[in-house]
């Protein structure tokens, strides 16, 4: 089979390259800057399940992905001898108001019904106290939810594991430092910023937020872009917190304890921003909220402040699969806030589709062709 060109060296592109190479395809991954230069090179790595109520195809897909990630990561760690900092540590969501506790109790039942994978069951417990760690009393005035499905990984370590796995395969080459400025699916040719041309049999566009302008150009005129970027800021603290602490989440604040003694705090969500990569007062406010939630974070040294741009499709769902107008172009982007938990399954779908051997399904609303059809319909 002729070469598969993967554009983008983030979590999506690396998983795509790995799946394609394992399927026997020759792979060239082109990354405009360096592996992890985009949103994937961050510090948080929360693996956040959807609510267990109102079950649908999207929730089932994410559930299956979160369940399967554990063994997929373990296999890669064994192959490479590296750690991805993965732990199914669970997730805690404090309940500040009585009505939230009532809703949470209903969700406990929903999880019993929906959070099952073969013999494995995952739980959504409503509790009065924290299993470990210490939440501020006000935050958890009405108890807390502890779910056993959530978890975390260390994003940069995960990328390093994938990169090391790719390095073991003879049919993969990685080109860093030159972006793709134009894709010509007809002749199967990509033009790089430095003027070099790369021929491809199939192209997988996994360039995060950089995917959208390329998709739009290939669609012909669209009145609205296929997606946009949402800025997020986060910080890494050196704090005396048990690395086994579940991910703590409430009202946009994430606290993620990692294996190496660092605790990540995220994330702002900014639709408008002047500088995509700067950090500012919004991050300071977030850190204050995190300290109120977990008082042991008070006074912890901030070792890194970081910002990145999440790829969000206009249809708000991940955007995956064959482009409707180009047989030899597939899209793999739009993971927005949850890419780390689902990228391996989305990549699997895209590569299966190229090989013509489907093994998993994705929700209809994720399919690139449906995103583009919806954008075209809007303006009829
Ligand atoms: C503050 C913050 C916190 C987050 N927390 C979490 C979390 O806890 N859990 C979670 O699952 N997700 C989280 N996310 C979201 C997650 O980081 C993203 O959804 C994910 O990284 C997107 O991966 P990607 O591979 O699609 O894009 P990216 O990681 O952005 O990778 C795209 C790559 O393509 C390259 N590129 C762009 N254009 C071109 C081109 N033309 N040619 C070649 N290369 C190109 C870029 O340099 C980049 O390296 C967070 C994001 C932010 C900003």
């Amino acid at each position: 089979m002729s070469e598969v060109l993967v554009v983008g060296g983030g979590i999506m592109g690396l998983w795509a390259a790995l799946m394609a190479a394992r399927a026997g395809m020759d792979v060239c991954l082109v990354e405009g800057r360096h592996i992890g230069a985009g949103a994937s090179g961050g510090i948080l790595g929360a693996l956040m399940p959807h609510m267990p109520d109102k079950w649908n195809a999207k929730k089932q897909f994410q559930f299956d992905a979160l369940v399967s990630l554990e063994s997929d990561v373990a296999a890669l760690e064994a192959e490479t001898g590296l750690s991805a900092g993965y732990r199914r540590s669970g997730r805690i969501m404090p309940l500040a108001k009585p009505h939230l506790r009532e809703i949470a109790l209903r969700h406990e039942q929903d999880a019993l019904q929906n959070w099952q994978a073969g013999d494995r069951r995952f739980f959504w417990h409503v509790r009065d106290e924290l299993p470990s760690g210490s939440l501020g009393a006000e935050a958890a005035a009405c108890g807390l939810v502890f779910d056993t499905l959530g978890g975390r990984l260390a994003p940069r370590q995960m990328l390093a594991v994938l990169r090391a796995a790719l390095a073991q395969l003879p049919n993969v080459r990685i080109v860093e430092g030159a972006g793709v400025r134009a894709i010509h699916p007809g002749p199967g040719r990509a033009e790089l910023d430095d003027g070099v041309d790369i021929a491809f049999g199939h192209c997988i566009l996994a360039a995060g937020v950089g995917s959208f302008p390329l998709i739009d150009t290939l669609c012909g005129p669209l009145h609205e872009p296929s997606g946009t970027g949402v800025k997020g800021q986060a910080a890494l603290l050196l704090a005396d917190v048990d690395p086994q602490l579940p991910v703590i989440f409430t009202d946009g604040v994430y606290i993620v304890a990692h294996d190496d003694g660092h605790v990540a705090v995220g994330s702002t969500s900014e639709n408008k921003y002047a500088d995509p990569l700067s950090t500012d007062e919004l991050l300071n406010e977030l850190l204050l909220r995190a300290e109120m939630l977990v008082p042991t974070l008070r006074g912890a040294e901030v070792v890194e402040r970081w910002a990145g741009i999440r790829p969000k499709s206009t249809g708000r769902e991940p955007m995956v699969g064959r482009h409707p107008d180009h047989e030899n172009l597939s899209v793999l982007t739009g993971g927005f806030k949850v890419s780390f938990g689902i990228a391996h399954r989305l990549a699997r779908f895209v590569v299966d589709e190229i090989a013509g051997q489907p093994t998993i399904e994705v929700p209809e609303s994720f399919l690139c062709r449906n995103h583009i059809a919806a954008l075209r319909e809007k303006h009829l």
Side-chain angles (χ1 to χ4, degrees):
M1 179 175 285
S2 56
E3 197 167 63
V4 169
L5 172 66
V6 177
V7 183
I11 191 67
M12 295 285 191
L14 290 170
W15 272 117
L18 187 67
M19 297 290 180
R22 282 179 173 168
M25 302 170 189
D26 288 327
V27 175
C28 175
L29 185 152
V30 172
E31 160 56 49
R33 290 175 286 164
H34 57 86
I35 300 294
S40 304
I43 50 185
L44 217 66
L47 302 169
M48 301 280 289
H50 287 305
M51 297 290 122
D53 64 331
K54 298 184 194 135
W55 206 242
N56 59 26
K58 177 178 160 179
K59 291 187 176 189
Q60 185 67 47
F61 178 85
Q62 196 226 20
F63 173 81
D64 292 339
L66 287 174
V67 172
S68 63
L69 186 62
E70 184 175 352
S71 54
D72 282 14
V73 169
L76 280 173
E77 289 180 332
E79 270 170 42
T80 61
L82 298 176
S83 165
Y86 176 93
R87 184 187 290 270
R88 195 182 292 284
S89 45
R91 173 181 58 176
I92 285 169
M93 292 183 286
L95 300 167
K97 302 259 164 64
H99 78 279
L100 295 176
R101 189 180 173 101
E102 273 170 38
I103 296 170
L105 285 166
R106 288 203 293 275
H107 287 167
E108 197 166 44
Q109 298 307 311
D110 294 322
L112 286 177
Q113 201 173 338
N114 297 320
W115 283 8
Q116 290 187 50
D119 293 343
R120 294 194 74 181
R121 285 176 154 262
F122 299 90
F123 297 95
W124 171 286
H125 301 292
V126 177
R127 291 192 172 158
D128 293 322
E129 285 170 14
L130 197 61
S132 60
S134 53
L135 279 183
E138 240 173 75
C142 297
L144 53 93
V145 171
F146 170 60
D147 82 57
T148 62
L149 177 58
R152 52 83 168 153
L153 48 71
R156 292 169 189 167
Q157 287 175 235
M158 184 69 227
L159 300 186
V161 166
L162 285 165
R163 186 173 196 156
L166 287 170
Q168 292 176 355
L169 299 170
N171 49 337
V172 177
R173 71 188 172 107
I174 295 182
V175 178
E176 290 174 273
V180 168
R181 68 177 177 210
I183 298 173
H184 305 287
R189 199 169 60 77
E191 271 171 51
L192 304 194
D193 293 331
D194 57 9
V196 169
D197 265 16
I198 295 191
F200 61 80
H202 199 104
C203 176
I204 301 177
L205 186 48
V209 70
S211 309
F212 299 123
L214 289 166
I215 295 167
D216 297 350
T217 307
L218 288 162
C219 281
L222 286 174
H223 297 275
E224 204 175 345
S226 54
T228 175
V230 177
K231 179 173 173 179
Q233 302 182 40
L236 203 57
L237 314 184
L238 200 54
D240 187 18
V241 170
D242 182 353
Q244 297 188 35
L245 183 74
V247 170
I248 297 175
F249 174 73
T250 189
D251 200 14
V253 184
Y254 299 71
I255 297 171
V256 186
H258 286 288
D259 285 338
D260 59 3
H262 288 118
V263 177
V265 173
S267 304
T268 67
S269 202
E270 302 162 54
N271 291 311
K272 291 205 173 100
Y273 44 87
D275 180 348
L277 299 179
S278 62
T279 60
D280 54 33
E281 198 46 43
L282 293 176
L283 182 55
N284 298 340
E285 285 166 21
L286 194 76
L287 284 168
L288 283 178
R289 289 178 62 204
E291 285 177 6
M292 300 223 315
L293 203 56
V294 178
T296 45
L297 293 181
R298 247 172 233 149
E301 183 192 349
V302 178
V303 291
E304 184 175 348
R305 295 163 67 92
W306 180 85
I309 304 296
R310 310 172 180 97
K312 180 183 171 198
S313 75
T314 298
R316 303 182 68 90
E317 307 278 9
M319 193 174 191
V320 299
R322 236 184 210 114
H323 190 287
D325 305 336
H326 306 285
E327 258 303 284
N328 60 346
L329 176 72
S330 297
V331 169
L332 178 58
T333 188
F336 194 30
K337 293 187 175 175
V338 297
S339 296
F340 278 90
I342 57 176
H344 60 306
R345 301 282 284 192
L346 296 177
R348 164 105 255 164
F349 171 81
V350 164
V351 169
D352 284 353
E353 195 185 39
I354 297 169
Q357 290 166 340
T359 57
I360 58 170
E361 288 182 3
V362 299
E364 286 282 312
S365 58
F366 288 13
L367 295 174
C368 175
R369 63 178 149 84
N370 290 336
H371 281 266
I372 297 202
L375 286 170
R376 286 177 171 154
E377 265 170 33
K378 266 191 192 174
H379 300 282
L380 279 181

